[in-house]
Amino acid sequence: MIKKAVALLLCAAAALGLSACGKTNGEKDSQAEGRIRVSVSFNALGEFAEAVGGDRVTVSAIIPDGTEAHDFEPKAQDLAGLAAADLFVYNGLGMEGWAEEAVAAANNEGLIVVVASEGADLIERAGSGGEAGQKGVGHGEVSYDPHLWLGVKGAETEAVNIKNALVLIDPENKDYYEANCQEFVSRLEALYDEYKEKFSQAEKNSFVTGHAAFGYLCRDFGLTQKSVMDIYAGGEPSAQQLTALVEYCKENGVTTIFAEEMASPAVSQTLAAEVGAKVQTIFTMETSEDGRTYLERMEENLLRIHESLSE
């Protein structure tokens, strides 16, 4: 459905792109203040680009705030900015089914495209088939958990990929991008070290979320997630699945059900009521949330999960 929508927008986006390309280089530089123009698919990637690029980049996100990334279907005006961009960063792994056609529609020969998940150690989706260890999407029936940015180590990989692209575009400022990237990765590593120790001492190791978005975070810290909805936050659980979750929560002393703002919290609230648990927000970082930075939200996620395992 997304591919059809993008295909219908090719001409419109191309027309808008031609309009953007019609501006002189001076006009573009004036608007961007001489900075590298970076277009990203969603919020977390934008924060990575800003952390690494600092005052040498101008970053804009294609998926608007308040929009569930899994369900996003681009409009022509969403795609037009790619025509004037120097760098386009998207997550890959099926998160942005529209991305390749959007790049084609932009008709921007100078555009550098980065799949931020490239080279990451991926988690294969259960029941996806294929050979263990394959990387990427499109190998038969194999597919992978796309939520790489929600793991500390995954975020580090994506930041480094963005850094490498900025160095390619602007090699004269390589040291600047390297230093910024190292600073960002160091802050992530500090969180990793702190919570690796804390989680190793927690009484429990499993938590319940609205949808199965935290596989990489779980792998980082030896945790297990149970979810109300599947990995793409699609549909609602059957009565049988909900009953099984209720039983699981009671048997494992679950006192907190985590809900994401972008995935309907209604079923999480129903589950919480059934087991006498409280509902707490957990951040997915696909959109701006509570005015907090990526690092602040990551730390809050880790803190809340840790507290729930110690109750």
Side-chain angles (χ1 to χ4, degrees):
M1 186 175 185
I2 292 176
K3 288 186 176 181
K4 288 183 179 178
V6 173
L8 290 173
L9 291 169
L10 290 177
C11 292
L16 287 170
L18 287 172
S19 173
C21 288
K23 298 176 182 177
T24 66
N25 288 335
E27 288 173 327
K28 287 183 183 178
D29 289 343
S30 175
Q31 290 178 354
E33 300 178 357
R35 301 179 182 184
I36 297 172
R37 296 172 294 272
V38 183
S39 179
V40 301
S41 54
F42 58 86
N43 177 266
L45 300 178
E47 291 215 32
F48 298 164
E50 288 172 343
V52 175
D55 61 9
R56 288 174 169 79
V57 299
T58 297
V59 180
S60 61
I62 290 176
I63 300 177
D65 278 343
T67 303
E68 166 57 54
H70 293 297
D71 300 331
F72 177 70
E73 295 186 20
K75 299 179 176 64
Q77 60 265 33
D78 298 321
L79 306 181
L82 288 176
D86 302 301
L87 174 64
F88 174 45
V89 182
Y90 70 101
N91 184 77
L93 305 176
M95 274 296 294
E96 308 96 338
W98 45 268
E100 291 184 7
E101 281 138 332
V103 170
N107 194 30
N108 181 349
E109 293 183 359
L111 182 66
I112 301 297
V113 179
V114 171
V115 181
S117 59
E118 186 70 30
D121 181 12
L122 303 177
I123 297 174
E124 185 176 322
R125 290 184 63 193
S128 66
E131 297 179 6
Q134 282 183 301
K135 298 292 186 280
V137 174
H139 300 284
E141 297 300 318
V142 177
S143 63
Y144 297 92
D145 183 343
H147 301 92
L148 186 66
W149 71 94
L150 288 173
V152 174
K153 297 297 184 180
E156 292 176 7
T157 295
E158 298 202 313
V160 169
N161 283 335
I162 292 170
K163 179 264 296 180
N164 291 339
L166 290 173
V167 170
L168 178 65
I169 294 170
D170 183 21
E172 291 184 1
N173 287 302
K174 176 181 178 180
D175 290 347
Y176 177 79
Y177 301 127
E178 293 275 6
N180 286 350
C181 186
Q182 184 56 51
E183 169 64 19
F184 185 68
V185 168
S186 294
R187 294 180 69 182
L188 284 168
E189 279 294 297
L191 279 176
Y192 176 80
D193 291 341
E194 177 184 355
Y195 279 92
K196 189 74 170 178
E197 176 67 19
K198 286 183 176 181
F199 283 125
S200 71
Q201 299 177 10
E203 297 177 9
K204 297 172 281 189
N205 72 347
S206 64
F207 60 98
V208 178
T209 65
H211 88 287
F214 298 90
Y216 292 99
L217 183 148
C218 286
R219 186 175 67 184
D220 285 345
F221 299 104
L223 305 177
T224 300
Q225 67 175 339
K226 296 290 183 179
S227 62
V228 174
M229 292 183 284
D230 67 15
I231 203 167
Y232 287 108
E236 294 187 355
S238 66
Q240 183 178 5
Q241 290 171 321
L242 190 57
T243 297
L245 268 175
V246 169
E247 293 176 356
Y248 176 86
C249 290
K250 290 180 177 179
E251 290 173 0
N252 291 275
V254 173
T255 58
T256 302
I257 308 297
F258 291 102
E260 309 94 60
E261 292 181 2
M262 291 296 98
S264 174
V267 181
S268 294
Q269 291 166 352
T270 299
L271 176 61
E274 285 286 330
V275 300
K278 63 184 176 183
V279 177
Q280 274 200 325
T281 299
I282 195 168
F283 299 115
T284 59
M285 309 185 213
E286 297 167 19
T287 184
S288 296
E289 296 161 304
D290 292 353
R292 303 187 188 197
T293 67
Y294 175 90
L295 285 166
E296 288 171 342
R297 287 177 286 173
M298 174 61 79
E299 183 169 15
E300 187 71 15
N301 280 354
L302 294 172
L303 174 63
R304 290 179 177 180
I305 292 169
H306 179 259
E307 287 178 344
S308 77
L309 300 182
S310 303
E311 293 173 341

